[in-house]
Amino acid sequence: MRPESERLSAIERRLDSPERRSDEIAAVLPQALRRSHERGEFAPAIQKPLAKIMQVAIREEPEHFADALFPVIGPAIRKAVSEAFKTLAQQLNDAIEHSLTPRGLSWRFRAWRSGVPYSHYVMQQTRSFAVEQAFLIHASSGLLIAHAQSATQSGRDKDAISAMFSALQSFVQESFTHDNKGDLETAELGGLTVWAIHGPSSILACVIGGLPPRSLRGELRGILEGIEGAHGELLRGFPGERDVEAVVGPTLRQALDLRGGESVAPAKSATGTMKPIAIIAGLLLLGLLWLIGSTILDHMRERRLAEAFADVPGLIVSTLQSDDGKIVVHGFRDPLSAEPVQLIESAGADLSRVQLKLMPILSLDPEIVLLRTRSILRPPTGVSIELVDNIVQISGQADAAWIEQAQQTARSIPGLEQAIFDLRVNYADPPEAAAGSNDALDQLVAELDGTTVRFTEGTRFLAGDESRIDGLASRLSTFINAANAEGYEYRLRVDGYSDSQGPADLNARLRQQRASALASRLSNAISRGGDMLPSIAVAGSTDADARQAVLRVQLVRPAPQ
Amino acid sequence: MTGNRTEKVCVLGDFAVGKTSTVARFVHNEFSDKYLTTVGVKIDIKEVDLGAHGSIKLIMWDIAGTDALDGLQQAYLRGASAYLLIADGTRKETISNALNLHRDVQAIYGKLPFVALVNKSDLDSEWEVGEDETMRSREAGIEWLPCSAKSGENVENAIRSLAATLIGQ
């Protein structure tokens, strides 16, 4: 019993002595922790208490943690800020670069269509890239840990590429840096970019086609951190017995899913709204086409109408414009000019769509003057009123009364200052009294009728002939007095002639002027003698080709007995 | 990664001892020799099948000739599992330079498996390596194996022996 009681006493002393128990636990604690860690139990067990301890410690003694983190936090913040600025700079560059190009305008339209801000759309589009291969490389040895590539890719031995990349990394580091620090992060060749993300144990090197955005680095870094975080032990022990590629491969393949550009944009919402937008766009397009078409048609109608109204005698169009679906015509019109309705119909225009605002005028256009003359004089059969060289010519045979009336009326017709009269008295009903008339008067008529006065040029009389005019006027005055005394009616007329040289219109005018000149001269001479000369008709005549004027004297009918 | 082991093996030696031509006959060339002159290293691949012991893929880093390790070459050696040390039997100074390289590697990276080859064994008449060099090497823990890049003598054996050592590790 004694030894047992002594052992029990010893155990009791051990248990009662905190120092001894501490020493014993300290002796086995490292091994216990190691075993617990190997069984995967230690970390989960310590996680919450440790987090709590850190919270309390940071709250109560923040300065200690600030001091401890100071060397780490500065570079980390600088790196994060630098990455953010690089990303922002690239996005700005992309936005500016694409702002006014045809592609940029196309993107602007698509952004509008899909309801996405333009800047977002540019960023989305400029992410036109695809990660084609991903190498997970052991940082120290350059050995390939795992590899993933898209189905379309094939190439050299990936182990050799991995090693060569690592060699190049060392080469650049040794050759171009002062302190052998820093990492090879980017290599570019043509349309291919190689980006390397460096972790503590491994390097994620990705071959990227297209234009990767800076933000892709963050996503790749996330993948590498995921691999390093989950499989850090495995990577540090590489190369080992386990097939590391099978473990990290699925995570690594996520890098291949990082792609951007036309194939993924615009977002789903855009495709969802595509149909109604297409319909609206189609309707808008139809409306636009209709507007353009109707504008062109209006313009063509206006032009056709303007052409129809152009050069119409007696019609002046000042403006012609479309207004509320109608074509409004402003201008001036002589009532004798062409009927506007007929002009509109001839132009193929719709009458109901043309509004006329025409002020009445008296046109001096020769063709209108002709119509006006016909309308007023109402020429009998045998008389024609035509335009000859833009001068109204009245010619033919009519009874003396009409001729006299016409000659008087013609003076008051607007625009008819220079009509040419070429009229013959109609003798269909000759004066019967002529046979039994007064011999003296007949003699005077025979003497006077057909008296010719010649001209040198223009309306200048030939000198010898001019001297005879006064005598002629005297004899004419005698005749008039005798006829009046005897109660005879008579007709006096002067016909003017010209030669055929020179322009026809000038000659026509000249004939009229010569007739007037002689008539006027005779009238003046008779007036000076105290007598009054009844009106003398004047007319141009083409019966003879000569520079002359001829006096015509006729006894019309016998005076009543 | 095919499931086989992959190991990094460096090839070291003095200038013009025939490192590249020694391994060239037995490796799968992936890159042009120009990398050797521009970047100072060339990567070749050698798959060694050791039958029942499995197979191993050796990533051979053929490092440009040197008699001492500079910073870049040290960087190339980082992470190597083994190395081939090559000298030229017709130039005995290459033996002592190889010994220096061997010491440098061990000093920096610790004891690594290696095989030492003396090239140009086909040039008997010009052979310079004698008993002195052999003895000095033996003291340094190196047993030189004569080989010929020209005939292929011992090269394949040496590489297979190194591979077996790596697999046995």
Side-chain angles (χ1 to χ4, degrees):
Chain A
M1 286 297 288
R2 186 180 171 86
E4 285 180 358
S5 67
E6 284 179 355
R7 279 216 319 271
L8 281 172
S9 300
I11 291 169
E12 199 172 356
R13 277 197 301 276
R14 270 175 56 202
L15 291 173
D16 289 343
S17 168
E19 291 81 13
R20 287 192 63 180
R21 279 170 56 203
S22 298
D23 289 343
E24 286 170 1
I25 291 171
V28 297
L29 186 61
Q31 191 179 357
L33 289 176
R34 226 174 1 255
R35 286 196 174 179
S36 174
H37 176 65
E38 285 168 2
R39 288 202 294 269
E41 296 167 350
F42 181 67
I46 199 78
Q47 189 179 357
K48 284 186 178 175
L50 195 60
K52 186 69 182 172
I53 288 164
M54 287 184 75
Q55 281 175 6
V56 173
I58 290 169
R59 191 167 57 238
E60 293 183 355
E61 294 180 289
E63 65 279 4
H64 290 169
F65 279 87
D67 290 345
L69 287 174
F70 180 74
V72 180
I73 209 160
I77 290 172
R78 274 198 297 279
K79 193 164 185 176
V81 169
S82 167
E83 284 289 323
F85 270 105
K86 281 178 184 173
T87 305
L88 180 65
Q90 189 186 358
Q91 288 169 347
L92 283 174
N93 283 341
D94 289 339
I96 292 165
E97 187 183 332
H98 294 98
S99 58
L100 289 173
T101 58
R103 175 191 269 192
L105 293 174
S106 159
W107 286 356
R108 216 172 263 283
F109 174 72
R110 291 191 201 177
W112 167 80
R113 196 188 70 190
S114 55
V116 175
Y118 174 64
S119 56
H120 291 191
Y121 196 83
V122 169
M123 287 174 215
Q124 213 169 18
Q125 288 306 303
T126 49
R127 283 171 49 125
S128 178
F129 67 93
V131 178
E132 295 174 354
Q133 291 191 66
F135 294 81
L136 187 66
I137 301 168
H138 191 235
S140 61
S141 67
L143 291 174
L144 184 67
I145 299 169
H147 175 252
Q149 66 182 21
S150 60
T152 55
Q153 294 298 310
S154 62
R156 291 179 156 176
D157 190 314
K158 44 196 184 291
D159 291 297
I161 291 172
S162 169
M164 200 70 214
F165 181 84
S166 182
L168 286 172
Q169 147 93 10
S170 300
F171 174 73
V172 172
Q173 205 171 44
E174 290 286 334
S175 307
F176 302 114
T177 61
H178 299 298
D179 51 4
N180 297 342
K181 288 185 177 172
D183 297 313
L184 178 62
E185 294 189 333
T186 305
E188 290 183 357
L189 182 70
L192 280 181
T193 303
V194 179
W195 275 2
I197 312 295
H198 296 260
S201 305
S202 59
I203 302 165
L204 174 60
C206 293
V207 182
I208 306 159
L211 290 169
R214 298 285 309 182
S215 56
L216 178 65
R217 271 197 173 278
E219 296 174 80
L220 292 175
R221 185 171 297 284
I223 290 175
L224 182 63
E225 285 170 356
I227 292 173
E228 290 261 3
H231 313 292
E233 287 291 327
L234 206 55
L235 296 178
R236 280 189 287 279
F238 184 84
E241 295 302 323
R242 289 188 64 185
D243 185 355
V244 185
E245 182 161 38
V247 178
V248 302
T251 313
L252 186 64
R253 291 197 70 80
Q254 291 174 7
L256 302 183
D257 298 332
L258 300 174
R259 54 182 60 240
E262 299 274 353
S263 58
V264 295
K268 278 182 184 175
S269 59
T271 55
T273 55
M274 184 61 199
K275 199 171 178 181
I277 284 173
I279 292 168
I280 293 167
L283 289 173
L284 284 173
L285 190 63
L286 281 174
L288 190 65
L289 287 173
W290 177 83
L291 197 65
I292 292 169
S294 61
T295 305
I296 291 171
L297 283 174
D298 280 351
H299 184 69
M300 287 173 67
R301 280 196 209 103
E302 278 179 29
R303 203 175 61 180
R304 279 207 302 270
L305 209 57
E307 283 171 358
F309 280 12
D311 299 330
V312 175
L315 183 63
I316 299 162
V317 174
S318 56
T319 60
L320 192 147
Q321 61 190 30
S322 291
D323 182 18
D324 196 21
K326 284 191 170 185
I327 301 173
V328 183
V329 183
H330 289 270
F332 308 91
R333 176 178 175 264
D334 189 294
L336 292 173
S337 77
E339 190 58 48
V341 173
Q342 290 175 349
L343 293 172
I344 293 166
E345 285 175 344
S346 70
D350 183 356
L351 268 177
S352 63
R353 296 188 61 188
V354 180
Q355 188 176 1
L356 295 170
K357 292 190 175 177
L358 300 173
M359 301 283 289
I361 55 165
L362 281 174
S363 170
L364 300 182
D365 192 296
E367 290 185 33
I368 299 299
V369 173
L370 172 69
L371 294 174
R372 191 179 296 134
T373 307
R374 285 176 178 164
S375 165
I376 293 172
L377 295 184
R378 297 176 186 277
T381 308
V383 173
S384 68
I385 303 176
E386 302 294 342
L387 269 185
V388 177
D389 300 326
N390 280 337
I391 292 177
V392 176
Q393 179 171 317
I394 306 163
S395 58
Q397 287 193 328
D399 62 65
W402 183 87
I403 291 173
E404 185 177 8
Q405 181 68 32
Q407 285 175 334
Q408 286 180 352
T409 308
R411 289 175 189 156
S412 61
I413 294 176
L416 196 68
E417 287 78 11
Q418 293 185 345
I420 299 169
F421 285 88
D422 187 12
L423 294 164
R424 297 273 183 278
V425 176
N426 189 348
Y427 291 110
D429 185 16
E432 294 172 5
S437 62
N438 188 304
D439 289 344
L441 280 176
D442 288 340
Q443 193 177 345
L444 277 170
V445 168
E447 182 188 335
L448 290 169
D449 186 38
T451 304
T452 299
V453 178
R454 292 168 295 173
F455 294 78
T456 53
E457 59 181 11
T459 52
R460 282 178 60 194
F461 297 105
L462 195 66
D465 287 12
E466 187 174 16
S467 61
R468 293 193 288 110
I469 295 174
D470 285 347
L472 178 62
S474 173
R475 297 295 294 162
L476 183 60
S477 182
T478 304
F479 165 75
I480 292 166
N481 288 332
N484 286 341
E486 295 291 332
Y488 282 87
E489 287 192 6
Y490 55 86
R491 301 277 183 236
L492 300 177
R493 193 178 87 237
V494 177
D495 290 340
Y497 295 84
S498 73
D499 58 23
S500 57
Q501 293 175 0
D505 57 339
L506 202 65
N507 286 336
R509 203 174 302 129
L510 188 56
R511 291 194 285 271
Q512 191 78 16
Q513 288 167 347
R514 281 174 176 163
S516 298
L518 179 57
S520 169
R521 191 68 176 266
L522 288 169
S523 180
N524 289 341
I526 292 168
S527 299
R528 281 199 303 273
D531 294 322
M532 286 300 290
L533 182 70
S535 64
I536 303 175
V538 294
S541 176
T542 53
D543 289 349
D545 185 4
R547 301 171 180 177
Q548 62 185 22
V550 177
L551 177 64
R552 299 289 177 188
V553 181
Q554 291 177 324
L555 280 171
V556 178
R557 60 186 173 88
Q561 294 299 313
Chain B
M1 298 293 285
T2 59
N4 295 335
R5 278 189 63 168
T6 306
E7 297 288 356
K8 175 177 178 177
V9 174
C10 291
V11 184
L12 289 169
D14 207 344
F15 300 100
V17 296
K19 294 187 299 297
T20 304
S21 50
T22 300
V23 298
R25 290 180 57 152
F26 301 97
V27 298
H28 172 49
N29 290 308
E30 275 294 329
F31 296 101
S32 156
D33 286 356
K34 72 181 179 188
Y35 287 95
L36 203 54
T37 51
T38 53
V39 188
V41 69
K42 176 172 169 274
I43 308 294
D44 295 315
I45 306 289
K46 173 68 177 172
E47 288 217 51
V48 182
D49 186 357
L50 294 169
H53 299 288
S55 63
I56 186 166
K57 182 186 275 187
L58 302 180
I59 313 298
M60 311 280 284
W61 289 52
D62 184 354
I63 296 171
T66 181
D67 52 1
L69 292 178
D70 62 15
L72 181 57
Q73 287 159 334
Q74 286 178 27
Y76 289 156
L77 272 158
R78 195 179 304 133
S81 301
Y83 56 97
L84 274 174
L85 200 59
I86 299 180
D88 180 353
T90 65
R91 289 154 55 212
K92 62 182 179 186
E93 72 276 13
T94 62
I95 297 282
S96 55
N97 289 339
L99 288 178
N100 290 336
L101 286 172
H102 172 68
R103 288 194 191 100
D104 286 350
V105 172
Q106 289 207 325
I108 298 167
Y109 296 106
K111 289 196 172 187
L112 295 174
F114 72 97
V115 170
L117 293 168
V118 193
N119 190 22
K120 305 185 185 175
S121 63
D122 51 300
L123 298 174
D124 281 340
S125 57
E126 299 171 33
W127 198 257
E128 287 186 357
V129 179
E131 201 56 37
D132 288 351
E133 288 75 24
T134 309
M135 283 303 294
R136 277 208 309 277
S137 298
R138 195 163 289 150
E139 286 167 7
I142 297 176
E143 285 291 343
W144 289 102
L145 189 65
C147 77
S148 169
K150 193 174 179 183
S151 67
E153 180 199 357
N154 275 340
V155 179
E156 179 84 11
N157 288 340
I159 293 174
R160 288 182 68 83
S161 147
L162 198 59
T165 306
L166 288 171
I167 271 194
Q169 278 186 328

